[in-house]
């Protein structure tokens, strides 16, 4: 009964370091999403993937890359971390053929860039 | 344009009703959602309403939609300390992409 699993839960990086945030879902969902959550700004979409092999930019894609490795996994990469990328990152997934189905969220990755 | 706004904080006494408000700007929204985020966790869907509805009730939760004013509200009856969380409204324009509001932090005190 895992749902959406994100790793790691916490990470501290130095400016310029690279890092990949992992996300996996076991619900056979088609669409997957990466959001960042910042105080007073809600959730902003970074990238999403409507199906295996496809990815699209969201609202704030700069400084990030993504890979939809297979139907289960959607990773987010920071090639050269910057302090402005300090945030809480959430992965979500949805079956996508019924709009009343909720997006299922992971518990988040808390990332600090020093 | 796509912009969803909420007030940042709400404080209520246990047992009172809470009303969390949300305004959105895109009149083509088809579904509107309320999510709850507890500390250290992701978001959980509380309820949703289709844009051709005015009201939806689900146990202690009542959602009101004023499409003319692009205003959505969530009323929680008999608010409990376990309701303390951040509440997000979100809109969908018929795709599976959601636009989230800024979130309202609800604090319930005894």
């Amino acid at each position: 009964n895992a749902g959406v699993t994100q790793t790691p839960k916490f990470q501290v990086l130095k400016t310029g370091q690279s890092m990949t945030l992992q996300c996996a879902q076991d619900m056979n969902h088609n669409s997957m999403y990466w959001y960042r959550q910042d105080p007073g700004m809600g959730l902003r979409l970074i990238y999403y993937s409507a199906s295996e092999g496809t990815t699209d930019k969201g609202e704030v894609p700069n400084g990030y890359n993504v890979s939809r490795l297979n139907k289960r996994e959607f990773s987010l990469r920071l090639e050269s971390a910057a302090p402005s990328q300090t945030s809480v990152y959430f992965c979500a997934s949805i079956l996508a053929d019924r709009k009343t189905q909720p997006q299922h969220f992971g518990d988040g990755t808390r990332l600090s860039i020093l | 344009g796509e912009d969803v706004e909420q007030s940042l904080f709400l404080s209520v006494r246990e047992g009172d009703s809470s009303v969390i408000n949300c305004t959105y700007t895109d009149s083509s929204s088809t579904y509107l959602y309320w999510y709850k985020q507890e500390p250290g966790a992701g978001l959980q869907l509380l309820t949703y309403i289709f844009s051709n509805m005015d009201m939806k009730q689900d146990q202690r939760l009542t959602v009101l939609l004023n499409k003319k004013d692009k205003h959505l509200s969530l009323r929680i009856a008999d608010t409990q300390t376990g309701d303390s969380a951040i509440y997000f409204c979100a809109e969908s324009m018929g795709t599976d992409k959601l636009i989230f509001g800024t979130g309202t932090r609800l604090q319930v005190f005894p």
Side-chain angles (χ1 to χ4, degrees):
Chain A
N1 193 25
V4 179
T5 302
Q6 291 184 235
T7 55
K9 294 190 186 306
F10 302 94
Q11 185 70 49
V12 178
L13 294 177
K14 293 181 179 178
T15 298
Q17 286 186 312
S18 62
M19 162 126 200
T20 300
L21 279 61
Q22 308 286 353
C23 175
Q25 51 89 11
D26 61 1
M27 297 170 284
N28 203 35
H29 284 173
N30 299 319
S31 297
M32 297 184 74
Y33 308 81
W34 276 106
Y35 294 93
R36 59 178 290 173
Q37 182 181 19
D38 301 293
M41 301 187 76
L43 273 75
R44 292 182 291 169
L45 183 64
I46 304 171
Y47 270 93
Y48 68 102
S49 169
S51 62
E52 183 180 351
T54 67
T55 61
D56 286 287
K57 294 179 181 179
E59 184 185 352
V60 288
N62 291 346
Y64 305 95
N65 286 301
V66 289
S67 295
R68 184 74 183 267
L69 305 170
N70 47 55
K71 194 169 186 180
R72 288 188 65 247
E73 298 171 289
F74 188 39
S75 62
L76 178 73
R77 183 160 178 85
L78 287 70
E79 288 291 351
S80 179
S84 62
Q85 294 177 304
T86 293
S87 187
V88 182
Y89 290 86
F90 287 99
C91 177
S93 70
I94 189 173
L95 191 58
D97 62 349
R98 289 182 59 191
K99 301 301 180 286
T100 56
Q101 289 209 352
Q103 287 194 6
H104 292 258
F105 283 80
D107 287 338
T109 295
R110 282 146 186 83
L111 185 61
S112 293
I113 317 295
L114 305 178
Chain B
E2 303 166 345
D3 197 10
V4 181
E5 295 188 354
Q6 302 176 236
S7 53
L8 290 180
F9 299 101
L10 177 65
S11 184
V12 299
R13 189 180 300 276
E14 191 174 16
D16 288 351
S17 293
S18 307
V19 179
I20 303 171
N21 295 302
C22 172
T23 58
Y24 60 98
T25 57
D26 197 318
S27 58
S28 61
S29 296
T30 53
Y31 286 93
L32 295 133
Y33 304 84
W34 283 105
Y35 281 83
K36 177 183 181 183
Q37 183 184 32
E38 296 185 353
L43 278 68
Q44 292 179 295
L45 181 70
L46 282 179
T47 187
Y48 66 91
I49 188 167
F50 188 50
S51 58
N52 67 354
M53 297 168 65
D54 298 324
M55 186 183 87
K56 180 178 181 181
Q57 188 150 4
D58 184 1
Q59 300 181 335
R60 292 191 298 121
L61 306 179
T62 302
V63 179
L64 294 177
L65 176 61
N66 181 331
K67 201 172 180 184
K68 173 177 168 287
D69 295 337
K70 300 187 185 68
H71 183 264
L72 181 73
S73 67
L74 173 70
R75 179 177 181 270
I76 305 173
D78 187 25
T79 312
Q80 302 298 307
T81 54
D83 295 323
S84 294
I86 302 176
Y87 291 81
F88 291 92
C89 63
E91 61 175 341
S92 164
M93 274 68 75
T95 69
D96 48 334
K97 284 171 60 180
L98 296 181
I99 306 298
F100 285 88
T102 50
T104 299
R105 184 179 296 273
L106 174 65
Q107 182 176 8
V108 182
F109 58 93

